[in-house]
Amino acid sequence: MATLNVFSQTLHPTISSSFCSSSSSYSNSNYGSFCPNSNTSKFHFFSNSSSLSAPTLSNSSKTLFTKSGSGGSWLQSSSASVSNEQKNGPVYSVFPSSPAQVSSVQDLYKFICSGPLLDRIGLTPENVAESIDKWLTYGRQLCRLFQLNELFLTEPQKVRLYHYYIPVFLWCESEIVQHRSKFKDGEDIPPLVIGFSAPQGCGKTTLVFALDYLFQMIGRKSATISIDDFYLTAEGQNKLREANPGNALLEFRGNAGSHDLPISVETLSALTKMSKEVSRYQDESAFGGRGDRADPSTWPEVEGPLEVVLFEGWMLGFKPVPVDAVKSVDPQLEIINKNLEAYYDAWDKYIKSWIVIKIKDPSCVYQWRLQAEIAMREAGNPGMSDDEVNDFVSRYLPAYNAYLPTLYSQGPNGSDPQHLLTIEIDEKRNPILGV
């Protein structure tokens, strides 16, 4: 079994052995009977579930959610009646001694079926009814991951879990099954690389974190990487700045040209071969929030072979457009547009399935990034000031304005429409009908 130091998520929770061993033991009997046309079916938690202990999230793990801009309303405590002990500790370690009604399965079924992604991922209400036990299991596991009290989920929390994360997970599962079916018995099956193209701060990192966790729970080996992992070192970025004097779009990391493409090619190739160590660009707080490549001793280790790689980034799938078009947005984009020509071979050609998270107005990125930086500062970590955030995001907006229209109308560079899921989100980062 090969081992690879790769850009896998560094913030996995620590799962107790009892929780891992119990993940395959969920059954319909835990939830009672369910019929979508019945008004009497109920969802019960039984006291023998107390053997399941919640995963322990370190402080750095909790910071992940705020840094990604998702540490807001949907993760907040959902009821004033929840005790302080429940709010601050593992709320799943103690259960009542007698069955406690949590929710009507019928109500949850209706809520799931009202989600905006159901039709888009090819599921019908009948499909949901047949697999309601899986929905309940996945919901329970995500509550453990995010340390939510599933007895008192708020509406935003329910939306995030049952209208967003779980439907996307089911779509990814379907893509993996289709991918693996193309190979004959005995053949080596490379992992399916799923690309997540989404603006900064919209919650893509937390989404990928949740998906990676669910894959682990069902026994699929997965790894996560980000385009942030492929940025130039601080020294390399300085050289890029000096080679492009006066171009504010290349002064700091972010736009096409500020990535170490040879490392990305080596890494994506190694993920299928699991044969070497690779670098990780993960020290976002270095140089006043501008970032630098982390020390190799901090690179996480992933064992292969993998079944799925989740690859996320704000500009994944961007493709060059006519020069006149980019110059009309911002003349400084001309060199960015030229640099973008090399990105298909370095990134996009490895991606076989795509998820595009669509926003109506790129200016949302300002507020989302500001929220993330404020959370970092409140957590005692170095971060950018409000003025620095405005300056930083302003260097990305020209690319959003130049490339998002093509991404949304034509799909990512080299993508197959049959393996593309587009999700439009609102300012609260929740999926909406509109695609």
Side-chain angles (χ1 to χ4, degrees):
M1 181 177 294
T3 300
L4 170 67
N5 277 350
V6 72
F7 312 148
S8 179
Q9 200 76 7
T10 58
L11 304 177
H12 292 314
T14 301
I15 314 298
S16 71
S17 58
S18 61
F19 176 58
C20 292
S21 63
S22 65
S23 61
S24 62
S25 64
Y26 293 110
S27 65
N28 291 337
S29 62
N30 286 348
Y31 307 109
S33 59
F34 170 66
C35 173
N37 297 319
S38 168
N39 292 321
T40 59
S41 299
K42 302 294 180 181
F43 170 29
H44 291 81
F45 245 13
F46 292 96
S47 57
N48 60 10
S49 297
S50 61
S51 62
L52 307 180
S53 56
T56 300
L57 294 181
S58 65
N59 289 333
S60 60
S61 297
K62 293 176 182 177
T63 303
L64 167 71
F65 312 128
T66 55
K67 284 176 66 177
S68 65
S70 58
S73 61
W74 86 273
L75 280 177
Q76 298 302 313
S77 177
S78 50
S79 173
S81 64
V82 182
S83 68
N84 289 332
E85 180 181 359
Q86 287 175 308
K87 290 179 182 179
N88 300 325
V91 296
Y92 303 99
S93 59
V94 178
F95 287 87
S97 58
S98 59
Q101 180 177 312
V102 177
S103 173
S104 164
V105 177
Q106 176 69 18
D107 289 344
L108 181 58
Y109 166 78
K110 290 180 179 179
F111 183 82
I112 293 170
C113 291
S114 70
L117 298 184
L118 211 59
D119 288 342
R120 210 165 302 148
I121 65 173
L123 290 183
T124 65
E126 290 74 21
N127 297 143
V128 175
E130 293 169 358
S131 60
I132 192 66
D133 58 326
K134 289 186 177 180
W135 286 83
L136 295 169
T137 298
Y138 299 150
R140 176 188 294 182
Q141 292 168 345
L142 289 177
C143 283
R144 293 177 182 279
L145 175 64
F146 294 114
Q147 293 190 327
L148 301 176
N149 189 334
E150 64 181 309
L151 304 180
F152 300 99
L153 288 179
T154 64
E155 190 75 7
Q157 291 166 354
K158 287 174 62 180
V159 166
R160 190 60 61 92
L161 300 186
Y162 292 103
H163 285 180
Y164 195 1
Y165 292 172
I166 296 176
V168 171
F169 173 72
L170 294 174
W171 184 85
C172 291
E173 261 293 283
S174 175
E175 290 294 296
I176 295 170
V177 171
Q178 292 181 58
H179 169 73
R180 297 182 69 82
S181 70
K182 298 175 183 177
F183 296 85
K184 298 178 181 178
D185 290 343
E187 286 185 319
D188 290 334
I189 304 178
L192 174 66
V193 181
I194 303 177
F196 296 76
S197 182
Q200 298 150 304
C202 73
K204 64 182 178 298
T205 301
T206 307
L207 168 64
V208 168
F209 182 61
L211 297 176
D212 185 51
Y213 179 78
L214 288 177
F215 282 128
Q216 291 186 47
M217 291 301 96
I218 67 170
R220 286 203 188 277
K221 286 197 172 180
S222 60
T224 67
I225 55 175
S226 166
I227 66 170
D228 291 359
D229 298 320
F230 301 129
Y231 282 126
L232 296 170
T233 62
E235 180 182 359
Q237 183 62 46
N238 289 337
K239 292 180 179 178
L240 179 67
R241 181 187 306 113
E242 293 170 359
N244 296 272
N247 190 324
L249 304 185
L250 290 175
E251 186 175 0
F252 302 109
R253 64 182 173 89
N255 283 292
S258 64
H259 301 90
D260 191 331
L261 297 186
I263 280 186
S264 69
V265 171
E266 291 176 14
T267 300
L268 289 164
S269 298
L271 280 169
T272 62
K273 300 174 183 176
M274 304 302 294
S275 61
K276 69 185 295 291
E277 293 184 350
V278 292
S279 60
R280 178 180 178 86
Y281 185 104
Q282 65 179 9
D283 191 356
E284 295 284 343
S285 63
F287 295 96
R290 299 301 182 182
D292 193 11
R293 186 167 295 161
D295 187 277
S297 65
T298 67
W299 301 343
E301 196 170 77
V302 175
E303 292 184 346
L306 298 170
E307 293 184 71
V308 59
V309 176
L310 308 176
F311 186 10
E312 54 105 341
W314 73 274
M315 55 169 283
L316 272 185
F318 282 14
K319 52 188 173 185
V321 298
V323 175
D324 290 344
V326 295
K327 290 176 69 176
S328 67
V329 174
D330 188 329
Q332 297 179 107
L333 277 173
E334 185 173 2
I335 183 63
I336 306 295
N337 201 56
K338 180 66 176 177
N339 293 339
L340 202 54
E341 294 175 0
Y343 278 65
Y344 173 78
D345 285 333
W347 293 354
D348 300 334
K349 77 175 184 180
Y350 293 94
I351 300 172
K352 304 306 178 185
S353 298
W354 284 90
I355 293 175
V356 172
I357 300 177
K358 179 180 178 181
I359 58 175
K360 289 184 177 180
D361 184 0
S363 65
C364 287
V365 175
Y366 275 120
Q367 187 61 33
W368 291 339
R369 182 75 193 205
L370 186 60
Q371 291 171 359
E373 294 297 327
I374 290 173
M376 288 180 66
R377 297 199 300 266
E378 290 178 347
N381 299 317
M384 290 185 280
S385 68
D386 294 2
D387 289 341
E388 287 173 331
V389 169
N390 285 333
D391 176 67
F392 186 72
V393 174
S394 69
R395 301 169 194 270
Y396 292 85
L397 283 182
Y400 284 133
N401 292 327
Y403 300 113
L404 284 184
T406 302
L407 178 73
Y408 294 160
S409 63
Q410 300 178 13
N413 197 2
S415 63
D416 181 347
Q418 299 299 315
H419 300 281
L420 167 64
L421 176 63
T422 301
I423 303 167
E424 185 167 338
I425 62 171
D426 59 19
E427 293 183 2
K428 295 181 180 179
R429 308 178 185 88
N430 290 321
I432 57 176
L433 292 171
V435 178

